[in-house]
Amino acid sequence: MTTTQARTGTLNVGMIGYGFMGAAHSHAWRNAHRFFDLPLTPQLRTLAGRTESALVAAAERYGFEQITTRWQDVVEDPEIDVIDICTPGDTHYEIAMAALAAGKHVLCEKPLANSVEQSEEMTAAAAAARAQGARSICGFSYRRTPALAYARQLISEGAVGEIRQIRAQYLQDWLSDAESPMTWRLDKDKAGSGALGDIGAHIIDLTQWLTGQRISSVSGTLETVIPTRPAAGTAQGLGGKGDASAERQDVTVDDLALFTARFDSGVLGSFEASRMAQGRKNAMRVEINGADGSIAFDFERMNELEVYDATATAGRQGFTRILTTEPEHPYAANWWPTGHGLGYEHTFTHQIADLVTAIGEGVDPSPSFEEALQVQHVLAAVEASSNNGSGWTTIDPTTTTTPDTNTPGTTTEETSR
Ligand code: SOE
């Protein structure tokens, strides 16, 4: 298999999967070279999926030249240079191993796989393929949010000083209705885990990437808040109300993942991944507290970064809201004039721009499969901690006073006034 460098100017893309991630990745493949100077021009060649009718519609909408219901066709096609895996986690291993063996470049959505064992094999295969010039990357796209890339730069420049505490949340509510029907994200066999791997993986990767530190131990609890859901197909669509009389299926993954992490520096971090956070739509939040200040970010305000400088004179201290749309901010110069803002889809366009640049320059993009494997180890450790009791200490109810049930302001002495 000749690597892309032998082909003049184009990078032929084969994508497997065409759901939410397929849409986001396709948008990025179509636009990256229109806003970034890239060494190669992506061509959306083949879209692979299972259902031909839906596949035809998706290929039309996304701009792919051809379709196939056999993902193996894409991997076996000598004209395809890069395989983009946008499928549920239970298929990442098989597809990535075949693509790497065929010498293809690989973009694999997160988490890398549904187990450490699979992730280890994929990482070894990626390392072997690398020797032949094939590049691989895992889709932790939030690293390419300008505000977060800038936060990492500030932290590395010492803006917060010695890091003392790390706090991360990823809060969504699209599954908080008990009548929302089953989806592959609620099936352990398909997804590997629930909120933990789907959204918790992002904040694990992000806190490690922002700080350059690695999580070395965890204590956590996984909770399934809604144990059964209406069978798939009984609702009007994703998030639609299911038919309450329909059969209900068991949810086999967590809706909540709460854990404490110790980083290799000794710093403690608190993590919360929830699909039950009513009102929080995609609130991925990170706060890094240091000796000299803090940095705080919320993806629901993705063009803003809050920075607190504890070394400023007391009268001037306070969180500064930086609008990360200046040309000095990562990626921002390639888009709109200052203040016009970017969206979720831009993180994927930045990811593709960096991947295509790496392929064209013959260097390895990040996050590598090795970095994604580290995240997989953390996911597995949280699950193991939860399965081993999470270290809960019970409080004997006989040793505590009964809580005051009076409504504030109605105690006798107050009413006697
Ligand atoms: C979950 O709802 C989800 O789609 C994740 O799977 C994605 O990785 C994240 O970018 C948005 O939320």
Side-chain angles (χ1 to χ4, degrees):
M1 169 68 198
T2 53
T3 59
T4 312
Q5 286 74 359
R7 196 185 311 281
T8 51
T10 60
L11 188 74
N12 292 326
V13 178
M15 179 178 287
I16 300 163
Y18 51 91
F20 176 13
M21 287 302 109
H25 287 218
S26 302
H27 179 283
W29 285 114
R30 284 196 306 274
N31 287 287
H33 67 288
R34 293 184 165 85
F35 289 88
F36 292 82
D37 296 328
L38 301 182
L40 300 164
T41 302
Q43 304 289 325
L44 280 66
R45 291 294 298 270
T46 311
L47 182 63
R50 287 173 306 185
T51 312
E52 185 157 359
S53 56
L55 200 50
V56 168
E60 174 79 18
R61 177 181 290 270
Y62 296 168
F64 280 89
E65 296 167 13
Q66 56 193 14
I67 64 165
T68 177
T69 55
R70 284 186 72 250
W71 63 263
Q72 294 87 343
D73 290 346
V74 189
V75 170
E76 291 157 9
D77 181 346
E79 289 302 307
I80 294 293
D81 300 305
V82 56
I83 299 289
D84 187 355
I85 305 172
C86 295
T87 54
D90 64 327
T91 57
H92 289 184
Y93 171 80
E94 186 183 17
I95 298 169
M97 294 299 282
L100 290 165
K104 308 294 188 187
H105 305 296
V106 175
L107 164 53
C108 183
E109 257 300 327
K110 42 51 64 183
L112 191 60
N114 284 357
S115 72
V116 167
E117 294 69 24
Q118 287 184 339
S119 297
E120 285 173 336
E121 284 190 53
M122 292 163 74
T123 301
R130 192 177 290 146
Q132 312 304 320
R135 309 295 163 190
S136 45
I137 185 174
C138 186
F140 288 107
S141 51
Y142 286 121
R143 293 184 177 197
R144 268 96 183 176
T145 307
L148 288 169
Y150 187 56
R152 183 172 189 258
Q153 186 181 314
L154 291 178
I155 291 168
S156 69
E157 291 166 358
V160 300
E162 181 195 357
I163 293 173
R164 291 192 171 146
Q165 189 178 352
I166 296 165
R167 183 175 306 106
Q169 300 170 315
Y170 198 154
L171 310 175
Q172 294 181 337
D173 70 359
W174 65 282
L175 282 171
S176 52
D177 179 349
E179 296 313 308
S180 290
M182 277 301 283
T183 165
W184 67 265
R185 282 186 167 89
L186 296 170
D187 176 355
K188 186 172 181 59
D189 291 338
K190 286 277 184 193
S193 63
L196 175 65
D198 187 22
I199 50 181
H202 278 298
I203 50 180
I204 292 166
D205 173 68
L206 207 52
T207 50
Q208 295 188 130
W209 179 71
L210 286 171
T211 62
Q213 301 184 18
R214 290 289 173 271
I215 292 173
S216 54
S217 61
V218 294
S219 170
T221 301
L222 302 182
E223 185 88 352
T224 303
V225 177
I226 301 172
T228 65
R229 301 255 182 186
T234 61
Q236 286 67 39
L238 182 63
K241 282 236 184 270
D243 171 358
S245 64
E247 60 150 325
R248 296 184 77 85
Q249 293 174 338
D250 289 342
V251 171
T252 53
V253 296
D254 55 285
D255 295 316
L256 291 179
L258 307 180
F259 59 99
T260 306
R262 176 83 66 186
F263 287 77
D264 50 13
S265 65
V267 165
L268 278 177
S270 53
F271 290 78
E272 178 186 356
S274 171
R275 290 167 162 165
M276 296 291 116
Q278 289 275 29
R280 303 300 180 195
K281 302 307 174 182
N282 202 42
M284 187 195 60
R285 300 167 169 172
V286 175
E287 183 164 323
I288 309 291
N289 301 136
D292 298 335
S294 295
I295 280 180
F297 172 83
D298 181 346
F299 191 80
E300 288 188 352
R301 297 169 61 183
M302 69 166 282
N303 291 287
E304 302 174 17
L305 183 67
E306 292 196 317
V307 181
Y308 182 90
D309 178 1
T311 67
T313 54
R316 297 295 302 271
Q317 287 182 1
F319 271 100
T320 301
R321 167 181 167 268
I322 299 174
L323 201 53
T324 53
T325 59
E326 298 298 323
E328 293 82 354
H329 295 128
Y331 306 105
N334 289 71
W335 296 102
W336 322 124
T338 181
H340 287 68
L342 301 182
Y344 175 74
E345 73 280 13
H346 290 87
T347 67
F348 291 90
T349 304
H350 301 159
Q351 178 173 259
I352 294 304
D354 290 347
L355 171 58
V356 174
T357 300
I359 290 171
E361 294 177 354
V363 298
D364 291 316
S366 72
S368 64
F369 278 19
E370 285 84 357
E371 292 174 273
L373 172 59
Q374 154 68 6
V375 173
Q376 207 76 43
H377 278 295
V378 178
L379 297 175
V382 173
E383 187 158 2
S385 173
S386 183
N387 292 340
N388 298 329
S390 312
W392 290 97
T393 299
T394 304
I395 296 164
D396 178 349
T398 63
T399 63
T400 56
T401 54
T402 50
D404 175 2
T405 54
N406 289 318
T407 305
T410 59
T411 49
T412 45
E413 59 273 13
E414 286 169 332
T415 48
S416 63
R417 278 200 298 270

